[in-house]
Amino acid sequence: LGALAHGRVTTGVLKIAVIGSGGLVSGALLARWRRTQRAGGSSAPLPGAAGAALDAATSAVVIASWANVINLLDLRPGRALKATALVAAPLVLATGCGRDARGAHSHLLAAGALGTAAAALPEDLAETTMLGDTGANALGALLGTAIAAHPSRLLRAGAAVAGTGLVLASEKVSFSRVIENNAILSRID
């Protein structure tokens, strides 16, 4: 964004535009879908146009930020795939998440992200293949969509804050350095 402020269009700006646009469209579709489902519990849509816009915006931020977070982690073999699996597994294993249509979509999308990570991990760790920007952003967007489709507004809002916070933190903090300096994260890495 700094380069754009100086009149230069970079691939980073193009990625923001493309991923952000995809997140907006997906967020709007998810919000619309939620409004057509039976209301009840924590998954009830917020009332009115403002509620629909907030729901769509939250989902868009979740999708776009998690696409970027997973891409930011794709600096070492297997790192982005492991992070995807660590976030997707609880969504897949959550009891009751797939019992109705509202939770089933999140469950299935998370299962897709987890399955993709598991299938790609051996070759990525062996350094015979790699996700790269395209694969990491796509996998992160799938993970973000799984989170954005979750019936809990609180989980979606928390994921939007966490994803955005991680993206902003990455501007000042090296994730690789943090991982290397933490015994547990380093071991997982």
Side-chain angles (χ1 to χ4, degrees), residues 81 84-85 88-89 91-92 104-120 138-143 146:
L81 295 166
T84 297
L91 293 172
V92 172
H105 289 83
S106 175
H107 181 82
L108 291 172
L109 291 164
L114 182 60
T116 300
L139 185 59
L142 175 59
L143 179 63

mmCIF file of all heavy atoms in Angstrom, residues 81 84-85 88-89 91-92 104-120 138-143 146:
data_model
loop_
_atom_site.group_PDB
_atom_site.id
_atom_site.type_symbol
_atom_site.label_atom_id
_atom_site.label_comp_id
_atom_site.label_asym_id
_atom_site.label_seq_id
_atom_site.Cartn_x
_atom_site.Cartn_y
_atom_site.Cartn_z
ATOM 1 N N LEU A 81 0.798 -25.482 5.161
ATOM 2 C CA LEU A 81 -0.087 -26.650 5.216
ATOM 3 C C LEU A 81 -0.365 -27.065 6.660
ATOM 4 O O LEU A 81 -1.498 -27.412 7.009
ATOM 5 C CB LEU A 81 0.524 -27.804 4.421
ATOM 6 C CG LEU A 81 0.642 -27.549 2.916
ATOM 7 C CD1 LEU A 81 1.552 -28.571 2.262
ATOM 8 C CD2 LEU A 81 -0.731 -27.543 2.270
ATOM 9 N N THR A 84 -2.748 -24.562 8.185
ATOM 10 C CA THR A 84 -4.099 -24.818 7.681
ATOM 11 C C THR A 84 -4.726 -25.986 8.422
ATOM 12 O O THR A 84 -5.877 -25.912 8.859
ATOM 13 C CB THR A 84 -4.063 -25.109 6.167
ATOM 14 O OG1 THR A 84 -3.566 -23.939 5.488
ATOM 15 C CG2 THR A 84 -5.440 -25.465 5.631
ATOM 16 N N ALA A 85 -3.972 -27.058 8.575
ATOM 17 C CA ALA A 85 -4.489 -28.240 9.271
ATOM 18 C C ALA A 85 -4.823 -27.924 10.728
ATOM 19 O O ALA A 85 -5.859 -28.373 11.241
ATOM 20 C CB ALA A 85 -3.478 -29.386 9.195
ATOM 21 N N ALA A 88 -8.081 -25.883 10.558
ATOM 22 C CA ALA A 88 -9.217 -26.608 9.974
ATOM 23 C C ALA A 88 -9.678 -27.779 10.832
ATOM 24 O O ALA A 88 -10.878 -28.055 10.913
ATOM 25 C CB ALA A 88 -8.866 -27.093 8.572
ATOM 26 N N ALA A 89 -8.744 -28.471 11.478
ATOM 27 C CA ALA A 89 -9.104 -29.684 12.230
ATOM 28 C C ALA A 89 -10.170 -29.435 13.288
ATOM 29 O O ALA A 89 -11.145 -30.197 13.360
ATOM 30 C CB ALA A 89 -7.856 -30.317 12.843
ATOM 31 N N LEU A 91 -12.503 -27.274 13.282
ATOM 32 C CA LEU A 91 -13.773 -27.033 12.592
ATOM 33 C C LEU A 91 -14.379 -28.341 12.095
ATOM 34 O O LEU A 91 -15.594 -28.514 12.100
ATOM 35 C CB LEU A 91 -13.570 -26.076 11.410
ATOM 36 C CG LEU A 91 -13.178 -24.647 11.754
ATOM 37 C CD1 LEU A 91 -12.830 -23.875 10.492
ATOM 38 C CD2 LEU A 91 -14.286 -23.958 12.522
ATOM 39 N N VAL A 92 -13.516 -29.251 11.672
ATOM 40 C CA VAL A 92 -13.992 -30.553 11.203
ATOM 41 C C VAL A 92 -14.470 -31.396 12.379
ATOM 42 O O VAL A 92 -15.492 -32.078 12.300
ATOM 43 C CB VAL A 92 -12.880 -31.302 10.420
ATOM 44 C CG1 VAL A 92 -13.289 -32.731 10.104
ATOM 45 C CG2 VAL A 92 -12.532 -30.545 9.144
ATOM 46 N N ALA A 104 -23.087 -27.497 8.351
ATOM 47 C CA ALA A 104 -22.562 -28.472 7.391
ATOM 48 C C ALA A 104 -21.637 -27.825 6.375
ATOM 49 O O ALA A 104 -20.623 -28.407 5.996
ATOM 50 C CB ALA A 104 -23.709 -29.187 6.684
ATOM 51 N N HIS A 105 -21.959 -26.632 5.936
ATOM 52 C CA HIS A 105 -21.113 -25.976 4.941
ATOM 53 C C HIS A 105 -19.725 -25.687 5.499
ATOM 54 O O HIS A 105 -18.719 -25.940 4.848
ATOM 55 C CB HIS A 105 -21.781 -24.695 4.438
ATOM 56 C CG HIS A 105 -22.966 -24.946 3.588
ATOM 57 N ND1 HIS A 105 -24.205 -25.200 4.099
ATOM 58 C CD2 HIS A 105 -23.087 -25.020 2.247
ATOM 59 C CE1 HIS A 105 -25.053 -25.406 3.115
ATOM 60 N NE2 HIS A 105 -24.401 -25.307 1.980
ATOM 61 N N SER A 106 -19.670 -25.164 6.709
ATOM 62 C CA SER A 106 -18.396 -24.894 7.353
ATOM 63 C C SER A 106 -17.612 -26.188 7.527
ATOM 64 O O SER A 106 -16.412 -26.252 7.231
ATOM 65 C CB SER A 106 -18.621 -24.227 8.717
ATOM 66 O OG SER A 106 -17.406 -24.071 9.407
ATOM 67 N N HIS A 107 -18.303 -27.209 7.994
ATOM 68 C CA HIS A 107 -17.691 -28.522 8.228
ATOM 69 C C HIS A 107 -17.085 -29.079 6.938
ATOM 70 O O HIS A 107 -15.937 -29.537 6.924
ATOM 71 C CB HIS A 107 -18.765 -29.460 8.784
ATOM 72 C CG HIS A 107 -18.291 -30.827 9.086
ATOM 73 N ND1 HIS A 107 -17.637 -31.137 10.258
ATOM 74 C CD2 HIS A 107 -18.357 -31.982 8.380
ATOM 75 C CE1 HIS A 107 -17.334 -32.421 10.254
ATOM 76 N NE2 HIS A 107 -17.757 -32.947 9.129
ATOM 77 N N LEU A 108 -17.848 -29.048 5.848
ATOM 78 C CA LEU A 108 -17.368 -29.599 4.573
ATOM 79 C C LEU A 108 -16.220 -28.786 3.989
ATOM 80 O O LEU A 108 -15.257 -29.350 3.457
ATOM 81 C CB LEU A 108 -18.520 -29.692 3.579
ATOM 82 C CG LEU A 108 -19.585 -30.730 3.910
ATOM 83 C CD1 LEU A 108 -20.774 -30.607 2.964
ATOM 84 C CD2 LEU A 108 -19.003 -32.138 3.867
ATOM 85 N N LEU A 109 -16.310 -27.469 4.080
ATOM 86 C CA LEU A 109 -15.220 -26.628 3.578
ATOM 87 C C LEU A 109 -13.943 -26.847 4.390
ATOM 88 O O LEU A 109 -12.845 -26.930 3.824
ATOM 89 C CB LEU A 109 -15.630 -25.156 3.607
ATOM 90 C CG LEU A 109 -16.712 -24.749 2.610
ATOM 91 C CD1 LEU A 109 -17.311 -23.397 2.982
ATOM 92 C CD2 LEU A 109 -16.149 -24.730 1.199
ATOM 93 N N ALA A 110 -14.092 -26.948 5.707
ATOM 94 C CA ALA A 110 -12.927 -27.212 6.562
ATOM 95 C C ALA A 110 -12.342 -28.583 6.257
ATOM 96 O O ALA A 110 -11.115 -28.745 6.238
ATOM 97 C CB ALA A 110 -13.318 -27.105 8.036
ATOM 98 N N ALA A 111 -13.203 -29.570 6.009
ATOM 99 C CA ALA A 111 -12.719 -30.907 5.638
ATOM 100 C C ALA A 111 -11.940 -30.849 4.326
ATOM 101 O O ALA A 111 -10.915 -31.529 4.172
ATOM 102 C CB ALA A 111 -13.883 -31.889 5.539
ATOM 103 N N GLY A 112 -12.404 -30.026 3.396
ATOM 104 C CA GLY A 112 -11.676 -29.852 2.132
ATOM 105 C C GLY A 112 -10.305 -29.240 2.349
ATOM 106 O O GLY A 112 -9.305 -29.669 1.757
ATOM 107 N N ALA A 113 -10.233 -28.229 3.215
ATOM 108 C CA ALA A 113 -8.943 -27.594 3.515
ATOM 109 C C ALA A 113 -8.016 -28.575 4.227
ATOM 110 O O ALA A 113 -6.822 -28.673 3.900
ATOM 111 C CB ALA A 113 -9.157 -26.341 4.368
ATOM 112 N N LEU A 114 -8.565 -29.310 5.189
ATOM 113 C CA LEU A 114 -7.763 -30.292 5.926
ATOM 114 C C LEU A 114 -7.281 -31.401 4.997
ATOM 115 O O LEU A 114 -6.104 -31.789 5.042
ATOM 116 C CB LEU A 114 -8.575 -30.872 7.088
ATOM 117 C CG LEU A 114 -7.870 -31.872 7.993
ATOM 118 C CD1 LEU A 114 -6.644 -31.256 8.647
ATOM 119 C CD2 LEU A 114 -8.847 -32.368 9.064
ATOM 120 N N GLY A 115 -8.162 -31.897 4.145
ATOM 121 C CA GLY A 115 -7.778 -32.947 3.196
ATOM 122 C C GLY A 115 -6.723 -32.478 2.209
ATOM 123 O O GLY A 115 -5.776 -33.210 1.897
ATOM 124 N N THR A 116 -6.862 -31.264 1.737
ATOM 125 C CA THR A 116 -5.868 -30.701 0.814
ATOM 126 C C THR A 116 -4.515 -30.583 1.498
ATOM 127 O O THR A 116 -3.478 -30.945 0.916
ATOM 128 C CB THR A 116 -6.336 -29.323 0.305
ATOM 129 O OG1 THR A 116 -7.580 -29.486 -0.382
ATOM 130 C CG2 THR A 116 -5.310 -28.695 -0.613
ATOM 131 N N ALA A 117 -4.522 -30.085 2.732
ATOM 132 C CA ALA A 117 -3.267 -29.948 3.479
ATOM 133 C C ALA A 117 -2.620 -31.313 3.702
ATOM 134 O O ALA A 117 -1.408 -31.469 3.499
ATOM 135 C CB ALA A 117 -3.518 -29.248 4.812
ATOM 136 N N ALA A 118 -3.420 -32.291 4.085
ATOM 137 C CA ALA A 118 -2.878 -33.634 4.339
ATOM 138 C C ALA A 118 -2.324 -34.266 3.062
ATOM 139 O O ALA A 118 -1.266 -34.901 3.087
ATOM 140 C CB ALA A 118 -3.952 -34.525 4.952
ATOM 141 N N ALA A 119 -3.017 -34.074 1.963
ATOM 142 C CA ALA A 119 -2.568 -34.667 0.702
ATOM 143 C C ALA A 119 -1.300 -34.003 0.169
ATOM 144 O O ALA A 119 -0.429 -34.669 -0.394
ATOM 145 C CB ALA A 119 -3.680 -34.571 -0.340
ATOM 146 N N ALA A 120 -1.185 -32.696 0.356
ATOM 147 C CA ALA A 120 -0.038 -31.962 -0.184
ATOM 148 C C ALA A 120 1.183 -31.991 0.723
ATOM 149 O O ALA A 120 2.311 -31.760 0.263
ATOM 150 C CB ALA A 120 -0.437 -30.517 -0.466
ATOM 151 N N ALA A 138 -5.025 -19.643 -2.349
ATOM 152 C CA ALA A 138 -6.245 -20.420 -2.593
ATOM 153 C C ALA A 138 -6.601 -21.276 -1.382
ATOM 154 O O ALA A 138 -7.768 -21.337 -0.964
ATOM 155 C CB ALA A 138 -6.075 -21.294 -3.830
ATOM 156 N N LEU A 139 -5.610 -21.934 -0.793
ATOM 157 C CA LEU A 139 -5.866 -22.753 0.389
ATOM 158 C C LEU A 139 -6.311 -21.886 1.560
ATOM 159 O O LEU A 139 -7.239 -22.241 2.299
ATOM 160 C CB LEU A 139 -4.621 -23.566 0.754
ATOM 161 C CG LEU A 139 -4.777 -24.566 1.891
ATOM 162 C CD1 LEU A 139 -5.861 -25.594 1.579
ATOM 163 C CD2 LEU A 139 -3.447 -25.272 2.150
ATOM 164 N N GLY A 140 -5.680 -20.735 1.732
ATOM 165 C CA GLY A 140 -6.086 -19.812 2.789
ATOM 166 C C GLY A 140 -7.496 -19.282 2.574
ATOM 167 O O GLY A 140 -8.262 -19.118 3.529
ATOM 168 N N ALA A 141 -7.853 -19.016 1.323
ATOM 169 C CA ALA A 141 -9.219 -18.559 1.023
ATOM 170 C C ALA A 141 -10.232 -19.654 1.324
ATOM 171 O O ALA A 141 -11.322 -19.382 1.840
ATOM 172 C CB ALA A 141 -9.324 -18.112 -0.429
ATOM 173 N N LEU A 142 -9.879 -20.905 1.030
ATOM 174 C CA LEU A 142 -10.763 -22.026 1.358
ATOM 175 C C LEU A 142 -10.936 -22.132 2.873
ATOM 176 O O LEU A 142 -12.056 -22.281 3.378
ATOM 177 C CB LEU A 142 -10.209 -23.336 0.791
ATOM 178 C CG LEU A 142 -10.971 -24.620 1.146
ATOM 179 C CD1 LEU A 142 -12.420 -24.548 0.676
ATOM 180 C CD2 LEU A 142 -10.257 -25.830 0.545
ATOM 181 N N LEU A 143 -9.839 -22.036 3.598
ATOM 182 C CA LEU A 143 -9.900 -22.062 5.061
ATOM 183 C C LEU A 143 -10.729 -20.885 5.585
ATOM 184 O O LEU A 143 -11.592 -21.055 6.459
ATOM 185 C CB LEU A 143 -8.489 -22.025 5.647
ATOM 186 C CG LEU A 143 -8.388 -22.022 7.166
ATOM 187 C CD1 LEU A 143 -8.957 -23.313 7.748
ATOM 188 C CD2 LEU A 143 -6.930 -21.843 7.588
ATOM 189 N N ALA A 146 -14.353 -21.521 5.057
ATOM 190 C CA ALA A 146 -14.862 -22.475 6.052
ATOM 191 C C ALA A 146 -15.185 -21.765 7.360
ATOM 192 O O ALA A 146 -16.222 -22.016 7.985
ATOM 193 C CB ALA A 146 -13.847 -23.594 6.285
#
